[in-house]
Amino acid sequence: MVRRYDPERRQRIIDAAIRVVADKGISGLSHRSVAAEADVPLGSTTYHFKTLDELMVAALRQTNEGFAKIVASRGTLEDAGVDLAGELSGLLGEWLGGDRASVELEYELYLAALRRPVLRPVAAEWCQDLAERIGCRTDPVTARALVAVMDGICLQVLVTGAEYDEAYTREVLARVIP
């Protein structure tokens, strides 16, 4: 049997894992379900990702890019002339107002770190990156507090199904900023 060179296979497997979690949740994720979704042999998934945890790390890392892309596209966090609380609440509004299923998926993988310690460093990367970006405008403790508040507001909106309230978020964030 001739092996076919497929440089995109690893990425297709990650994309398939994300689709499986979006469709069936974390509990539906298996090498077998991902192989079927990616239309690759089962051995391909285990070749590229020895464990399901490795695959989940790759999926979480990729989904974490959603919010980071919005932050990068606006590029105003570093601008001292821009109201920080307003900018942060606007970023959350843009993210939560976009593809809700993608945001929910990102949080589902993020929260999977509660039971899967291998995911914790990747989940922490998101918090750390955002805190560093905010840290150019405030002290490190305040930056971490702002990230925690933003994280909590996002989680409340997603879990309760409530509408995102940008004015409320701006007011709460402004109270944290010295």
Side-chain angles (χ1 to χ4, degrees):
M1 174 179 206
V2 176
R3 293 183 80 175
R4 195 168 44 111
Y5 178 65
D6 186 358
E8 302 299 318
R9 184 169 289 190
R10 184 178 193 283
Q11 184 59 52
R12 281 200 338 266
I13 291 168
I14 295 168
D15 293 341
I18 291 169
R19 288 192 304 274
V20 167
V21 172
D23 186 44
K24 300 176 183 175
I26 294 285
S27 62
L29 188 68
S30 68
H31 280 288
R32 190 170 305 284
S33 65
V34 171
E37 179 67 28
D39 194 26
V40 298
L42 179 59
S44 288
T45 64
T46 57
Y47 171 79
H48 290 285
F49 302 97
K50 303 284 185 246
T51 67
L52 214 47
D53 283 343
E54 287 180 19
L55 181 55
M56 288 178 71
V57 164
L60 177 57
R61 188 162 272 129
Q62 184 168 310
T63 60
N64 277 352
E65 295 172 2
F67 188 72
K69 285 178 183 176
I70 290 173
V71 171
S73 73
R74 288 177 65 141
T76 52
L77 275 182
E78 294 81 15
D79 185 351
V82 173
D83 171 46
L84 182 58
E87 181 59 20
L88 293 172
S89 59
L91 286 168
L92 286 184
E94 185 176 335
W95 187 50
L96 290 166
D99 181 8
R100 183 73 167 236
S102 292
V103 176
E104 290 171 357
L105 170 66
E106 187 169 338
Y107 259 89
E108 185 168 0
L109 286 165
Y110 174 68
L111 292 173
L114 289 170
R115 301 263 183 214
R116 295 182 180 266
V118 71
L119 294 175
R120 290 178 186 162
V122 182
E125 285 174 11
W126 180 88
C127 298
Q128 178 82 24
D129 180 57
L130 185 55
E132 286 175 5
R133 287 176 177 269
I134 295 170
C136 70
R137 298 278 306 278
T138 187
D139 64 276
V141 172
T142 301
R144 286 180 54 206
L146 289 167
V147 171
V149 170
M150 292 168 64
D151 204 13
I153 289 172
C154 285
L155 189 56
Q156 286 179 355
V157 167
L158 293 172
V159 170
T160 65
E163 289 293 317
Y164 174 69
D165 185 342
E166 191 168 323
Y168 164 79
T169 302
R170 191 210 166 284
E171 183 177 332
V172 169
L173 294 174
R175 290 180 182 197
V176 175
I177 299 169

